[in-house]
Amino acid sequence: MSNSFEDICISFSICCLFLLLCRRFLLNFYGPKVSYLSWLLVPISLIMPFISMPNWFAELNEGQSITQVITVINTSTNSLSNSSEQVLLSIWLVGFIALLSFWLYRHIRMLFTQGDWERTLLNKPKLDTYKLSIFKSSHIHSPMLVGLIKPKLLLPEDFETLFSEEQQTLILEHELCHFKRNDMVWNSIALLLLALFWFHPLAWLAFSRFRRDQELSCDQVVLARKHI
């Protein structure tokens, strides 16, 4: 792997580890919304290695800086042969393409069921305000937003009999919260980062906690409105 990719991995690892360690503190003292927003640091961490920082280190004897010494050490001890780099790159590329292909297949498979979707109108003023298209499907068991550019709200076909009126309102407001915050876009970015770092255990753990914080923050918003 190139030195720049190694630097990105280090920055990504430090950021994920920091957020995972601080997550419980953020949830307890600041709530799910702040904990969810803190995950914005992950994409920011990817550009940190490319930001040049001033050299605050004093020069060593004969004008050799600490930075130069570190560079020499890294070059002499951590360099890989070209063949090894090609093997690692090939393995990474196979994993990256495989994950993206799997997620794309699932998305296309869902869209192919549109012929079985039944458009429905619910007597909910908030939904009409945001002009969110609502469909019912026999292929799902829980409400979900589908699509990236023009998301659609997909409900189980027995939604109105499965949940009480109050439960329906809370569920719909939860999905509407996702819609207004463009969480589908953020989820797509998170999946892309997960595909890039598929080999990294912290990436999978961070993605899981990110999605959990996303759901908790939506619940927080909905419950806060309920008690107003």
Side-chain angles (χ1 to χ4, degrees):
M1 294 291 181
S2 64
N3 290 333
S4 59
F5 187 71
E6 291 174 0
D7 293 338
I8 292 174
C9 285
I10 293 173
S11 180
F12 174 82
S13 301
I14 293 174
C15 183
C16 287
L17 184 60
F18 172 76
L19 291 174
L20 289 169
L21 292 175
C22 293
R23 180 173 176 269
R24 184 56 56 186
F25 171 81
L26 293 175
L27 284 173
N28 291 338
F29 290 93
Y30 297 100
K33 185 175 181 180
V34 173
S35 183
Y36 176 52
L37 289 174
S38 68
W39 292 104
L40 285 172
L41 293 175
V42 174
I44 293 175
S45 71
L46 301 184
I47 64 175
M48 291 303 295
F50 301 101
I51 299 177
S52 58
M53 302 296 291
N55 184 11
W56 300 105
F57 297 109
E59 292 187 352
L60 298 177
N61 293 334
E62 299 180 355
Q64 187 181 40
S65 67
I66 293 177
T67 305
Q68 291 173 325
V69 173
I70 294 175
T71 302
V72 173
I73 293 175
N74 287 338
T75 303
S76 60
T77 60
N78 297 331
S79 60
L80 295 171
S81 64
N82 290 334
S83 59
S84 298
E85 288 184 358
Q86 290 298 323
V87 170
L88 291 176
L89 179 60
S90 299
I91 294 174
W92 170 82
L93 190 59
V94 168
F96 176 73
I97 294 176
L99 274 178
L100 286 185
S101 300
F102 173 70
W103 290 326
L104 184 61
Y105 163 76
R106 290 183 58 185
H107 182 68
I108 293 176
R109 184 181 178 185
M110 173 64 69
L111 294 180
F112 267 122
T113 65
Q114 287 191 41
D116 298 326
W117 296 3
E118 178 185 352
R119 184 150 190 170
T120 183
L121 295 175
L122 298 177
N123 187 21
K124 306 292 181 182
K126 289 185 178 180
L127 294 176
D128 296 335
T129 301
Y130 289 96
K131 298 180 180 179
L132 181 60
S133 300
I134 308 171
F135 296 84
K136 287 185 178 180
S137 172
S138 59
H139 297 279
I140 64 168
H141 303 286
S142 61
M144 64 176 66
L145 286 172
V146 179
L148 185 61
I149 299 176
K150 292 183 178 180
K152 301 175 180 61
L153 178 57
L154 203 56
L155 303 174
E157 61 179 358
D158 55 352
F159 176 74
E160 293 173 294
T161 58
L162 194 61
F163 302 101
S164 66
E165 189 69 26
E166 182 180 8
Q167 289 175 328
Q168 291 178 40
T169 300
L170 293 175
I171 291 172
L172 292 173
E173 288 189 358
H174 179 98
E175 297 301 326
L176 188 59
C177 181
H178 283 304
F179 175 75
K180 290 190 293 184
R181 298 191 314 190
N182 293 313
D183 281 344
M184 297 296 291
V185 175
W186 295 114
N187 289 343
S188 299
I189 294 174
L191 285 173
L192 178 60
L193 292 179
L194 183 59
L196 287 171
F197 296 97
W198 63 266
F199 56 88
H200 204 316
L202 283 179
W204 293 91
L205 184 58
F207 178 78
S208 172
R209 298 301 182 265
F210 160 79
R211 290 287 288 118
R212 188 174 300 178
D213 287 345
Q214 185 182 86
E215 296 300 323
L216 289 174
S217 63
C218 277
D219 289 340
Q220 182 187 40
V221 171
V222 172
L223 293 176
R225 291 173 181 170
K226 181 182 178 182
H227 295 297
I228 292 178

Short mmCIF file of all heavy atoms in Angstrom, two decimals, residues 42-105:
data_model
loop_
_atom_site.label_atom_id
_atom_site.label_comp_id
_atom_site.label_asym_id
_atom_site.label_seq_id
_atom_site.Cartn_x
_atom_site.Cartn_y
_atom_site.Cartn_z
N VAL A 42 -15.48 11.37 11.19
CA VAL A 42 -14.87 10.26 10.44
C VAL A 42 -14.50 10.68 9.02
O VAL A 42 -13.34 10.52 8.61
CB VAL A 42 -15.78 9.02 10.45
CG1 VAL A 42 -15.20 7.93 9.56
CG2 VAL A 42 -15.95 8.50 11.87
N PRO A 43 -15.44 11.20 8.21
CA PRO A 43 -15.01 11.64 6.87
C PRO A 43 -13.99 12.77 6.92
O PRO A 43 -13.14 12.87 6.03
CB PRO A 43 -16.32 12.08 6.20
CG PRO A 43 -17.29 12.28 7.29
CD PRO A 43 -16.91 11.35 8.38
N ILE A 44 -14.09 13.62 7.95
CA ILE A 44 -13.11 14.71 8.08
C ILE A 44 -11.72 14.14 8.32
O ILE A 44 -10.72 14.67 7.82
CB ILE A 44 -13.52 15.66 9.21
CG1 ILE A 44 -14.81 16.39 8.85
CG2 ILE A 44 -12.41 16.67 9.50
CD1 ILE A 44 -15.36 17.27 9.95
N SER A 45 -11.64 13.04 9.07
CA SER A 45 -10.34 12.45 9.40
C SER A 45 -9.61 11.96 8.16
O SER A 45 -8.38 11.85 8.15
CB SER A 45 -10.51 11.29 10.39
OG SER A 45 -11.12 10.17 9.77
N LEU A 46 -10.35 11.67 7.07
CA LEU A 46 -9.73 11.15 5.86
C LEU A 46 -8.91 12.20 5.12
O LEU A 46 -8.02 11.86 4.34
CB LEU A 46 -10.80 10.58 4.93
CG LEU A 46 -11.67 9.45 5.50
CD1 LEU A 46 -12.62 8.94 4.43
CD2 LEU A 46 -10.83 8.32 6.05
N ILE A 47 -9.23 13.47 5.35
CA ILE A 47 -8.48 14.52 4.65
C ILE A 47 -7.36 15.10 5.52
O ILE A 47 -6.54 15.87 5.04
CB ILE A 47 -9.41 15.66 4.20
CG1 ILE A 47 -10.03 16.37 5.42
CG2 ILE A 47 -10.49 15.14 3.27
CD1 ILE A 47 -10.86 17.58 5.05
N MET A 48 -7.34 14.72 6.79
CA MET A 48 -6.32 15.25 7.69
C MET A 48 -4.89 14.95 7.24
O MET A 48 -4.01 15.82 7.33
CB MET A 48 -6.55 14.72 9.11
CG MET A 48 -7.81 15.27 9.78
SD MET A 48 -7.84 17.07 9.86
CE MET A 48 -6.46 17.38 10.95
N PRO A 49 -4.60 13.74 6.73
CA PRO A 49 -3.22 13.47 6.29
C PRO A 49 -2.74 14.36 5.15
O PRO A 49 -1.53 14.47 4.92
CB PRO A 49 -3.28 11.99 5.85
CG PRO A 49 -4.43 11.41 6.59
CD PRO A 49 -5.44 12.52 6.66
N PHE A 50 -3.69 14.98 4.42
CA PHE A 50 -3.31 15.81 3.29
C PHE A 50 -3.17 17.28 3.65
O PHE A 50 -2.84 18.11 2.80
CB PHE A 50 -4.34 15.66 2.16
CG PHE A 50 -4.49 14.25 1.68
CD1 PHE A 50 -5.56 13.47 2.11
CD2 PHE A 50 -3.56 13.69 0.83
CE1 PHE A 50 -5.70 12.16 1.68
CE2 PHE A 50 -3.69 12.38 0.39
CZ PHE A 50 -4.77 11.62 0.81
N ILE A 51 -3.45 17.61 4.92
CA ILE A 51 -3.31 18.99 5.39
C ILE A 51 -1.91 19.16 5.94
O ILE A 51 -1.50 18.47 6.89
CB ILE A 51 -4.36 19.32 6.47
CG1 ILE A 51 -5.77 19.17 5.89
CG2 ILE A 51 -4.14 20.74 7.00
CD1 ILE A 51 -6.87 19.40 6.91
N SER A 52 -1.15 20.06 5.35
CA SER A 52 0.23 20.28 5.79
C SER A 52 0.23 21.05 7.10
O SER A 52 -0.42 22.08 7.24
CB SER A 52 1.01 21.05 4.73
OG SER A 52 0.39 22.29 4.46
N MET A 53 0.98 20.54 8.05
CA MET A 53 1.09 21.16 9.36
C MET A 53 2.49 21.76 9.51
O MET A 53 3.48 21.22 9.00
CB MET A 53 0.85 20.12 10.47
CG MET A 53 -0.51 19.43 10.39
SD MET A 53 -1.88 20.60 10.64
CE MET A 53 -1.63 20.95 12.38
N PRO A 54 2.61 22.89 10.21
CA PRO A 54 3.93 23.49 10.42
C PRO A 54 4.82 22.60 11.27
O PRO A 54 4.34 21.88 12.14
CB PRO A 54 3.61 24.81 11.14
CG PRO A 54 2.27 24.58 11.75
CD PRO A 54 1.53 23.67 10.83
N ASN A 55 6.11 22.62 10.99
CA ASN A 55 7.07 21.82 11.74
C ASN A 55 7.50 22.58 12.99
O ASN A 55 8.29 23.52 12.92
CB ASN A 55 8.27 21.49 10.85
CG ASN A 55 9.26 20.58 11.56
OD1 ASN A 55 8.96 20.04 12.61
ND2 ASN A 55 10.42 20.40 10.95
N TRP A 56 6.97 22.13 14.14
CA TRP A 56 7.27 22.81 15.39
C TRP A 56 8.48 22.20 16.10
O TRP A 56 8.87 22.64 17.17
CB TRP A 56 6.06 22.74 16.33
CG TRP A 56 4.84 23.40 15.77
CD1 TRP A 56 3.74 22.78 15.26
CD2 TRP A 56 4.59 24.80 15.63
NE1 TRP A 56 2.82 23.69 14.82
CE2 TRP A 56 3.31 24.95 15.05
CE3 TRP A 56 5.33 25.95 15.96
CZ2 TRP A 56 2.75 26.19 14.78
CZ3 TRP A 56 4.76 27.18 15.68
CH2 TRP A 56 3.49 27.30 15.10
N PHE A 57 9.06 21.16 15.48
CA PHE A 57 10.18 20.48 16.13
C PHE A 57 11.48 21.25 15.94
O PHE A 57 11.74 21.82 14.88
CB PHE A 57 10.34 19.06 15.56
CG PHE A 57 9.14 18.19 15.82
CD1 PHE A 57 8.30 17.83 14.78
CD2 PHE A 57 8.87 17.74 17.10
CE1 PHE A 57 7.20 17.04 15.01
CE2 PHE A 57 7.76 16.94 17.34
CZ PHE A 57 6.94 16.59 16.30
N ALA A 58 12.27 21.20 16.94
CA ALA A 58 13.60 21.84 16.85
C ALA A 58 14.51 20.96 15.99
O ALA A 58 14.34 19.76 15.89
CB ALA A 58 14.20 22.00 18.24
N GLU A 59 15.49 21.61 15.36
CA GLU A 59 16.41 20.86 14.51
C GLU A 59 17.42 20.10 15.36
O GLU A 59 17.82 20.54 16.44
CB GLU A 59 17.16 21.82 13.59
CG GLU A 59 16.24 22.45 12.54
CD GLU A 59 17.04 23.26 11.54
OE1 GLU A 59 18.26 23.43 11.78
OE2 GLU A 59 16.46 23.68 10.54
N LEU A 60 17.84 18.94 14.84
CA LEU A 60 18.86 18.15 15.51
C LEU A 60 20.24 18.60 15.06
O LEU A 60 20.41 19.58 14.33
CB LEU A 60 18.64 16.67 15.18
CG LEU A 60 17.30 16.07 15.64
CD1 LEU A 60 17.22 14.64 15.17
CD2 LEU A 60 17.14 16.17 17.15
N ASN A 61 21.26 17.86 15.49
CA ASN A 61 22.63 18.18 15.10
C ASN A 61 22.78 18.15 13.59
O ASN A 61 22.18 17.33 12.90
CB ASN A 61 23.60 17.16 15.72
CG ASN A 61 23.63 17.33 17.23
OD1 ASN A 61 23.35 18.41 17.75
ND2 ASN A 61 23.97 16.25 17.92
N GLU A 62 23.60 19.07 13.06
CA GLU A 62 23.91 19.18 11.64
C GLU A 62 22.67 19.45 10.80
O GLU A 62 22.60 19.08 9.63
CB GLU A 62 24.64 17.92 11.15
CG GLU A 62 25.96 17.69 11.86
CD GLU A 62 26.66 16.45 11.36
OE1 GLU A 62 26.07 15.75 10.52
OE2 GLU A 62 27.79 16.20 11.81
N GLY A 63 21.68 20.10 11.42
CA GLY A 63 20.51 20.53 10.68
C GLY A 63 19.53 19.45 10.33
O GLY A 63 18.63 19.67 9.53
N GLN A 64 19.68 18.26 10.90
CA GLN A 64 18.75 17.17 10.58
C GLN A 64 17.57 17.25 11.53
O GLN A 64 17.74 17.18 12.73
CB GLN A 64 19.46 15.82 10.71
CG GLN A 64 18.58 14.66 10.23
CD GLN A 64 19.29 13.34 10.38
OE1 GLN A 64 19.97 13.12 11.38
NE2 GLN A 64 19.12 12.47 9.40
N SER A 65 16.36 17.39 11.00
CA SER A 65 15.17 17.53 11.84
C SER A 65 14.64 16.17 12.26
O SER A 65 14.97 15.14 11.68
CB SER A 65 14.07 18.29 11.09
OG SER A 65 13.61 17.50 10.02
N ILE A 66 13.80 16.20 13.30
CA ILE A 66 13.16 14.96 13.77
C ILE A 66 12.29 14.36 12.67
O ILE A 66 12.22 13.15 12.50
CB ILE A 66 12.31 15.26 15.03
CG1 ILE A 66 13.22 15.65 16.19
CG2 ILE A 66 11.46 14.06 15.41
CD1 ILE A 66 12.48 16.03 17.45
N THR A 67 11.66 15.25 11.90
CA THR A 67 10.82 14.76 10.81
C THR A 67 11.63 13.95 9.81
O THR A 67 11.18 12.92 9.31
CB THR A 67 10.14 15.94 10.10
OG1 THR A 67 9.41 16.71 11.07
CG2 THR A 67 9.18 15.44 9.02
N GLN A 68 12.84 14.42 9.51
CA GLN A 68 13.68 13.71 8.56
C GLN A 68 14.09 12.35 9.10
O GLN A 68 14.15 11.37 8.36
CB GLN A 68 14.92 14.56 8.24
CG GLN A 68 14.59 15.81 7.42
CD GLN A 68 15.80 16.71 7.28
OE1 GLN A 68 16.62 16.81 8.20
NE2 GLN A 68 15.90 17.39 6.15
N VAL A 69 14.40 12.30 10.40
CA VAL A 69 14.79 11.03 11.01
C VAL A 69 13.65 10.03 10.94
O VAL A 69 13.83 8.86 10.60
CB VAL A 69 15.23 11.25 12.48
CG1 VAL A 69 15.47 9.91 13.16
CG2 VAL A 69 16.47 12.11 12.54
N ILE A 70 12.41 10.50 11.27
CA ILE A 70 11.26 9.62 11.22
C ILE A 70 11.02 9.10 9.82
O ILE A 70 10.71 7.93 9.60
CB ILE A 70 10.01 10.37 11.74
CG1 ILE A 70 10.17 10.67 13.23
CG2 ILE A 70 8.74 9.54 11.52
CD1 ILE A 70 9.04 11.50 13.80
N THR A 71 11.22 9.97 8.83
CA THR A 71 11.03 9.57 7.44
C THR A 71 12.01 8.47 7.05
O THR A 71 11.65 7.49 6.38
CB THR A 71 11.21 10.78 6.51
OG1 THR A 71 10.27 11.79 6.87
CG2 THR A 71 10.98 10.37 5.05
N VAL A 72 13.28 8.63 7.46
CA VAL A 72 14.29 7.63 7.15
C VAL A 72 13.96 6.31 7.80
O VAL A 72 14.07 5.23 7.19
CB VAL A 72 15.69 8.12 7.61
CG1 VAL A 72 16.71 7.00 7.45
CG2 VAL A 72 16.11 9.34 6.81
N ILE A 73 13.52 6.35 9.08
CA ILE A 73 13.19 5.12 9.80
C ILE A 73 12.03 4.41 9.13
O ILE A 73 12.05 3.19 8.92
CB ILE A 73 12.86 5.43 11.27
CG1 ILE A 73 14.12 5.93 11.99
CG2 ILE A 73 12.32 4.19 11.97
CD1 ILE A 73 13.86 6.38 13.41
N ASN A 74 10.97 5.19 8.79
CA ASN A 74 9.81 4.58 8.14
C ASN A 74 10.18 3.97 6.80
O ASN A 74 9.71 2.90 6.43
CB ASN A 74 8.72 5.64 7.94
CG ASN A 74 8.03 6.01 9.23
OD1 ASN A 74 8.06 5.25 10.19
ND2 ASN A 74 7.42 7.19 9.26
N THR A 75 11.04 4.66 6.06
CA THR A 75 11.43 4.16 4.74
C THR A 75 12.22 2.87 4.85
O THR A 75 12.06 1.94 4.05
CB THR A 75 12.27 5.22 4.01
OG1 THR A 75 11.51 6.43 3.92
CG2 THR A 75 12.63 4.74 2.61
N SER A 76 13.08 2.78 5.87
CA SER A 76 13.97 1.63 5.99
C SER A 76 13.31 0.42 6.62
O SER A 76 13.70 -0.71 6.37
CB SER A 76 15.22 2.00 6.80
OG SER A 76 14.84 2.42 8.10
N THR A 77 12.30 0.64 7.47
CA THR A 77 11.73 -0.48 8.22
C THR A 77 10.35 -0.91 7.74
O THR A 77 9.96 -2.05 7.94
CB THR A 77 11.63 -0.12 9.71
OG1 THR A 77 10.80 1.05 9.86
CG2 THR A 77 13.00 0.18 10.28
N ASN A 78 9.57 -0.01 7.13
CA ASN A 78 8.18 -0.32 6.81
C ASN A 78 7.89 -0.43 5.32
O ASN A 78 6.74 -0.60 4.92
CB ASN A 78 7.25 0.74 7.42
CG ASN A 78 7.32 0.76 8.93
OD1 ASN A 78 7.58 -0.25 9.55
ND2 ASN A 78 7.09 1.93 9.52
N SER A 79 8.90 -0.29 4.47
CA SER A 79 8.65 -0.36 3.03
C SER A 79 8.36 -1.80 2.60
O SER A 79 8.95 -2.75 3.09
CB SER A 79 9.86 0.18 2.27
OG SER A 79 11.00 -0.59 2.59
N LEU A 80 7.40 -1.95 1.69
CA LEU A 80 7.05 -3.26 1.15
C LEU A 80 7.54 -3.36 -0.28
O LEU A 80 7.66 -2.34 -0.98
CB LEU A 80 5.53 -3.45 1.19
CG LEU A 80 4.89 -3.50 2.58
CD1 LEU A 80 3.37 -3.47 2.43
CD2 LEU A 80 5.32 -4.73 3.33
N SER A 81 7.77 -4.53 -0.73
CA SER A 81 8.18 -4.73 -2.11
C SER A 81 6.99 -4.44 -3.03
O SER A 81 5.83 -4.48 -2.62
CB SER A 81 8.66 -6.15 -2.33
OG SER A 81 7.61 -7.07 -2.13
N ASN A 82 7.29 -4.14 -4.28
CA ASN A 82 6.24 -3.84 -5.24
C ASN A 82 5.27 -5.00 -5.42
O ASN A 82 4.06 -4.82 -5.58
CB ASN A 82 6.85 -3.47 -6.60
CG ASN A 82 7.55 -2.13 -6.55
OD1 ASN A 82 7.21 -1.27 -5.73
ND2 ASN A 82 8.52 -1.95 -7.43
N SER A 83 5.79 -6.21 -5.40
CA SER A 83 4.93 -7.39 -5.58
C SER A 83 3.97 -7.54 -4.41
O SER A 83 2.79 -7.86 -4.60
CB SER A 83 5.79 -8.65 -5.72
OG SER A 83 6.61 -8.83 -4.57
N SER A 84 4.45 -7.30 -3.19
CA SER A 84 3.58 -7.40 -2.01
C SER A 84 2.50 -6.34 -2.05
O SER A 84 1.34 -6.59 -1.70
CB SER A 84 4.41 -7.24 -0.73
OG SER A 84 5.36 -8.27 -0.60
N GLU A 85 2.87 -5.15 -2.49
CA GLU A 85 1.89 -4.07 -2.60
C GLU A 85 0.80 -4.42 -3.60
O GLU A 85 -0.38 -4.14 -3.38
CB GLU A 85 2.57 -2.77 -3.00
CG GLU A 85 3.42 -2.15 -1.89
CD GLU A 85 4.00 -0.81 -2.31
OE1 GLU A 85 3.77 -0.41 -3.48
OE2 GLU A 85 4.66 -0.19 -1.49
N GLN A 86 1.19 -5.04 -4.71
CA GLN A 86 0.23 -5.41 -5.73
C GLN A 86 -0.74 -6.47 -5.21
O GLN A 86 -1.95 -6.43 -5.49
CB GLN A 86 0.94 -5.93 -6.98
CG GLN A 86 1.69 -4.85 -7.76
CD GLN A 86 0.76 -3.78 -8.28
OE1 GLN A 86 -0.36 -4.07 -8.69
NE2 GLN A 86 1.21 -2.53 -8.28
N VAL A 87 -0.23 -7.41 -4.42
CA VAL A 87 -1.09 -8.46 -3.85
C VAL A 87 -2.09 -7.85 -2.88
O VAL A 87 -3.30 -8.16 -2.92
CB VAL A 87 -0.23 -9.54 -3.15
CG1 VAL A 87 -1.13 -10.49 -2.35
CG2 VAL A 87 0.59 -10.31 -4.17
N LEU A 88 -1.61 -6.99 -1.99
CA LEU A 88 -2.49 -6.35 -1.01
C LEU A 88 -3.53 -5.48 -1.69
O LEU A 88 -4.70 -5.46 -1.30
CB LEU A 88 -1.65 -5.51 -0.04
CG LEU A 88 -0.75 -6.28 0.93
CD1 LEU A 88 0.09 -5.31 1.76
CD2 LEU A 88 -1.56 -7.18 1.84
N LEU A 89 -3.10 -4.75 -2.72
CA LEU A 89 -4.03 -3.90 -3.46
C LEU A 89 -5.11 -4.73 -4.15
O LEU A 89 -6.29 -4.36 -4.16
CB LEU A 89 -3.28 -3.07 -4.49
CG LEU A 89 -4.12 -2.13 -5.37
CD1 LEU A 89 -4.86 -1.12 -4.50
CD2 LEU A 89 -3.24 -1.42 -6.40
N SER A 90 -4.72 -5.87 -4.70
CA SER A 90 -5.68 -6.75 -5.38
C SER A 90 -6.70 -7.30 -4.39
O SER A 90 -7.91 -7.34 -4.68
CB SER A 90 -4.96 -7.90 -6.08
OG SER A 90 -4.06 -7.41 -7.06
N ILE A 91 -6.23 -7.72 -3.21
CA ILE A 91 -7.14 -8.25 -2.18
C ILE A 91 -8.12 -7.17 -1.74
O ILE A 91 -9.32 -7.41 -1.60
CB ILE A 91 -6.34 -8.78 -0.98
CG1 ILE A 91 -5.51 -10.01 -1.39
CG2 ILE A 91 -7.27 -9.14 0.18
CD1 ILE A 91 -4.57 -10.51 -0.31
N TRP A 92 -7.58 -5.96 -1.51
CA TRP A 92 -8.46 -4.86 -1.09
C TRP A 92 -9.50 -4.55 -2.15
O TRP A 92 -10.68 -4.35 -1.85
CB TRP A 92 -7.63 -3.60 -0.81
CG TRP A 92 -8.49 -2.38 -0.62
CD1 TRP A 92 -9.13 -2.00 0.53
CD2 TRP A 92 -8.83 -1.41 -1.62
NE1 TRP A 92 -9.85 -0.86 0.31
CE2 TRP A 92 -9.70 -0.47 -0.99
CE3 TRP A 92 -8.50 -1.25 -2.96
CZ2 TRP A 92 -10.21 0.62 -1.68
CZ3 TRP A 92 -9.03 -0.16 -3.65
CH2 TRP A 92 -9.87 0.76 -3.01
N LEU A 93 -9.08 -4.52 -3.43
CA LEU A 93 -9.98 -4.17 -4.52
C LEU A 93 -11.09 -5.20 -4.67
O LEU A 93 -12.25 -4.85 -4.92
CB LEU A 93 -9.19 -4.05 -5.83
CG LEU A 93 -9.94 -3.46 -7.02
CD1 LEU A 93 -10.42 -2.05 -6.70
CD2 LEU A 93 -9.03 -3.45 -8.25
N VAL A 94 -10.76 -6.48 -4.49
CA VAL A 94 -11.77 -7.54 -4.58
C VAL A 94 -12.82 -7.35 -3.48
O VAL A 94 -14.03 -7.44 -3.73
CB VAL A 94 -11.11 -8.92 -4.46
CG1 VAL A 94 -12.17 -10.01 -4.25
CG2 VAL A 94 -10.29 -9.24 -5.70
N GLY A 95 -12.37 -7.08 -2.25
CA GLY A 95 -13.31 -6.86 -1.15
C GLY A 95 -14.17 -5.64 -1.37
O GLY A 95 -15.38 -5.65 -1.11
N PHE A 96 -13.55 -4.56 -1.87
CA PHE A 96 -14.26 -3.30 -2.11
C PHE A 96 -15.36 -3.49 -3.16
O PHE A 96 -16.51 -3.10 -2.95
CB PHE A 96 -13.26 -2.24 -2.57
CG PHE A 96 -13.87 -0.93 -2.96
CD1 PHE A 96 -14.36 -0.07 -1.99
CD2 PHE A 96 -13.94 -0.55 -4.29
CE1 PHE A 96 -14.93 1.15 -2.34
CE2 PHE A 96 -14.50 0.66 -4.65
CZ PHE A 96 -15.00 1.51 -3.68
N ILE A 97 -15.01 -4.11 -4.27
CA ILE A 97 -15.98 -4.32 -5.35
C ILE A 97 -17.07 -5.30 -4.92
O ILE A 97 -18.25 -5.12 -5.25
CB ILE A 97 -15.26 -4.83 -6.62
CG1 ILE A 97 -14.34 -3.74 -7.17
CG2 ILE A 97 -16.27 -5.25 -7.68
CD1 ILE A 97 -13.52 -4.17 -8.36
N ALA A 98 -16.68 -6.34 -4.16
CA ALA A 98 -17.66 -7.34 -3.72
C ALA A 98 -18.72 -6.71 -2.82
O ALA A 98 -19.92 -6.97 -2.97
CB ALA A 98 -16.95 -8.47 -2.99
N LEU A 99 -18.30 -5.88 -1.88
CA LEU A 99 -19.26 -5.24 -0.98
C LEU A 99 -20.18 -4.28 -1.71
O LEU A 99 -21.39 -4.29 -1.50
CB LEU A 99 -18.52 -4.51 0.14
CG LEU A 99 -18.14 -5.33 1.37
CD1 LEU A 99 -17.37 -4.47 2.37
CD2 LEU A 99 -19.38 -5.92 2.03
N LEU A 100 -19.59 -3.43 -2.56
CA LEU A 100 -20.41 -2.49 -3.32
C LEU A 100 -21.41 -3.22 -4.22
O LEU A 100 -22.57 -2.81 -4.35
CB LEU A 100 -19.53 -1.57 -4.16
CG LEU A 100 -18.77 -0.47 -3.42
CD1 LEU A 100 -18.04 0.42 -4.42
CD2 LEU A 100 -19.70 0.38 -2.56
N SER A 101 -20.96 -4.30 -4.83
CA SER A 101 -21.83 -5.07 -5.71
C SER A 101 -22.98 -5.71 -4.93
O SER A 101 -24.13 -5.73 -5.39
CB SER A 101 -21.04 -6.17 -6.42
OG SER A 101 -20.00 -5.61 -7.21
N PHE A 102 -22.68 -6.20 -3.74
CA PHE A 102 -23.71 -6.83 -2.90
C PHE A 102 -24.77 -5.81 -2.49
O PHE A 102 -25.98 -6.07 -2.59
CB PHE A 102 -23.07 -7.46 -1.67
CG PHE A 102 -24.06 -7.98 -0.66
CD1 PHE A 102 -24.82 -9.11 -0.95
CD2 PHE A 102 -24.22 -7.35 0.55
CE1 PHE A 102 -25.74 -9.59 -0.02
CE2 PHE A 102 -25.13 -7.83 1.49
CZ PHE A 102 -25.90 -8.95 1.20
N TRP A 103 -24.33 -4.63 -2.03
CA TRP A 103 -25.28 -3.60 -1.61
C TRP A 103 -26.08 -3.07 -2.80
O TRP A 103 -27.27 -2.78 -2.67
CB TRP A 103 -24.55 -2.46 -0.91
CG TRP A 103 -24.00 -2.87 0.43
CD1 TRP A 103 -24.56 -3.75 1.31
CD2 TRP A 103 -22.78 -2.43 1.03
NE1 TRP A 103 -23.77 -3.89 2.42
CE2 TRP A 103 -22.68 -3.10 2.28
CE3 TRP A 103 -21.78 -1.54 0.65
CZ2 TRP A 103 -21.60 -2.88 3.15
CZ3 TRP A 103 -20.71 -1.33 1.51
CH2 TRP A 103 -20.63 -2.00 2.74
N LEU A 104 -25.43 -2.93 -3.95
CA LEU A 104 -26.13 -2.47 -5.13
C LEU A 104 -27.16 -3.50 -5.58
O LEU A 104 -28.29 -3.15 -5.99
CB LEU A 104 -25.13 -2.21 -6.26
CG LEU A 104 -25.70 -1.63 -7.56
CD1 LEU A 104 -26.34 -0.28 -7.30
CD2 LEU A 104 -24.59 -1.50 -8.60
N TYR A 105 -26.82 -4.78 -5.47
CA TYR A 105 -27.75 -5.85 -5.82
C TYR A 105 -28.98 -5.82 -4.92
O TYR A 105 -30.12 -5.95 -5.40
CB TYR A 105 -27.04 -7.21 -5.70
CG TYR A 105 -27.98 -8.39 -5.64
CD1 TYR A 105 -28.62 -8.85 -6.80
CD2 TYR A 105 -28.24 -9.03 -4.43
CE1 TYR A 105 -29.49 -9.94 -6.74
CE2 TYR A 105 -29.11 -10.11 -4.37
CZ TYR A 105 -29.73 -10.55 -5.52
OH TYR A 105 -30.60 -11.61 -5.46
#
